[in-house]
Amino acid sequence: MAIQLTEEQQMIRKMVREFAEAEIAPVAEKLWEGQAFPYDIWKKGGELGLAGFPYPEEVGGAGGDWLSFTIILEELARVDCAVANAFMANSSAASLINNYGSKKLKESYLPPILTGEQVGAIGLSEPNAGSDAANIQTTARLEGDEWVINGSKIFISNSDNDITGPVVVAAVTGKKPDGRNQISNFVIPNGVAGFTYGRKLNKIGWRASSTGELFFDQVRIPKDHLLGEEGKGLKQTLSTISTGRILIGAMALGIIQGSIDRSLQYMQERKTFGKPLTDYQSLQFALADMATNAHAARLMLYQVAMLKDEGKPFEQESSMAKLFSTEKAMEAAHQAIQLHGGYGIMSEYPVSRAFGDAKVLEIVEGTSEIQRLIISRRVIAGK
């Protein structure tokens, strides 16, 4: 599949890169130290159309394509992955509402999170249900015209912010004939009675991306806040996660490219024994490896984004792209720290902060082990 960016896509890259350098880079360290959600950046990004880029204009989006959104996240993560994650996690909530919500739900909840007025979140993971999403314990029971929800969630991005809007929550609504949980998705407005936030979680990466716990105690929401059909929630979420893996891969690509750019700059400026670091062949080879991996990751991610834009199957390709990109991002972040020497382990240097971010990427939206499981099953099945 030939990959040739349009003039518009090249302009989008230029615009987002300039935005990231001007708005994110100067405050990235402060956001990391304070573990603060980037409200001003989020609002400005929303005004530029970044939050709702691949969504329909009639619900507040920009009507763009997923390849361009992949480029947007790549360029944001090149400067700061935590900021990029705010846009990625918001997109996960928006996708579920846009793909499975009624006209009323779309009109009510999409415009604020696609324009930067609010930020959306998705609540799937629980203390005993990470990769095994079907094992969730949160329940939803229909009483008259209302769903009553009880349970808790953990590791939820974009939660407990001043501008947190709708949260899409997965809950058990019954049992299937084989005894497994029947799972459905619901839109829960922020601030509804019984819906509270727990502690803010401290992470080794994504520190400027708020991550927390959610608690539901007899939360009542209207019957029509069910997304799509009852019992189809797991299928809906897994479909959305496949798209999320493209976006996680895009952020990993941003880390690889950022590691290259920072390492090259440092190597050109830093001298040892009277020579710049760029004169040492072993360090040149490190850059060569990072550049090769960036090129390969970019080809994989852009291809799978194009498959999604064309409406073609992309589940296996998204797992491959996520696996490759995140593992190579971890390698690049590690190498960038090594190239920076003692400075590399100081949090004031972006390479240090990117190291923790890269590790997070290997875990979220399915660990590397889960991706290998998905890929191997399809290979064995001959698909």
Side-chain angles (χ1 to χ4, degrees), residues 80-215:
D80 191 287
C81 193
V83 174
N85 180 59
F87 290 88
M88 195 288 296
N90 182 75
S91 177
S92 295
S95 287
L96 282 166
I97 297 172
N98 184 62
N99 294 340
Y100 305 106
S102 64
K103 184 172 184 281
K104 177 182 177 181
L105 288 178
K106 293 179 185 180
E107 292 176 346
S108 297
Y109 293 110
L110 283 179
I113 67 174
L114 296 182
T115 58
E117 179 184 342
Q118 296 179 351
V119 61
I122 176 172
L124 177 62
S125 296
E126 297 184 6
N128 295 312
S131 298
D132 184 11
N135 194 42
I136 65 172
Q137 304 299 307
T138 297
T139 62
R141 183 181 70 258
L142 188 62
E143 291 187 359
D145 291 331
E146 293 181 319
W147 289 99
V148 181
I149 299 175
N150 289 281
S152 64
K153 300 291 179 178
I154 196 169
F155 308 135
I156 309 306
S157 294
N158 289 348
S159 60
D160 199 11
N161 288 321
D162 292 341
I163 58 171
T164 295
V167 181
V168 178
V169 173
V172 177
T173 50
K175 293 288 185 180
K176 296 181 179 180
D178 61 5
R180 292 184 300 168
N181 286 334
Q182 179 189 71
I183 297 173
S184 305
N185 286 323
F186 301 88
V187 179
I188 300 184
N190 189 25
V192 67
F195 174 20
T196 58
Y197 296 100
R199 61 197 171 102
K200 185 175 183 179
L201 304 175
N202 296 318
K203 310 180 296 296
I204 62 171
W206 283 12
R207 288 168 60 89
S209 173
S210 58
T211 306
E213 301 170 312
L214 313 180
F215 295 99

Side-chain angles (χ1 to χ4, degrees), residues 17 19 68 81 115-116 129 150 173-174 184 190 195 203 219-220 235 239 256 313 364 379:
R17 177 167 293 195
F19 170 76
S68 295
C81 193
T115 58
N150 289 281
T173 50
S184 305
N190 189 25
F195 174 20
K203 310 180 296 296
V219 171
R220 291 181 174 271
K235 184 177 181 180
S239 175
I256 301 173
V364 297
V379 171

Side-chain angles (χ1 to χ4, degrees), residues 71 95 102 111 122 153-154 176 189 220 242 244 248 253 274 281 284 289 301-302 317 322 328-329 347-348 356 365 371:
I71 294 170
S95 287
S102 64
I122 176 172
K153 300 291 179 178
I154 196 169
K176 296 181 179 180
R220 291 181 174 271
S242 291
I248 290 292
L253 173 57
Q281 190 176 69
Q284 294 171 1
D289 288 342
L301 288 161
Y302 287 12
E317 289 84 353
K322 196 269 185 186
K328 296 308 177 184
S347 63
E348 64 191 87
E365 301 288 351
Q371 305 313 318

Side-chain angles (χ1 to χ4, degrees), residues 288-333:
D289 288 342
M290 284 192 280
T292 300
N293 290 333
H295 180 63
R298 190 169 283 115
L299 290 175
M300 294 177 73
L301 288 161
Y302 287 12
Q303 182 206 35
V304 69
M306 291 170 66
L307 289 174
K308 178 173 174 60
D309 281 327
E310 294 171 4
K312 297 177 180 178
F314 62 90
E315 288 75 15
Q316 179 175 348
E317 289 84 353
S318 68
S319 284
M320 290 176 168
K322 196 269 185 186
L323 173 65
F324 181 84
S325 301
T326 56
E327 292 197 342
K328 296 308 177 184
M330 193 68 214
E331 290 179 16

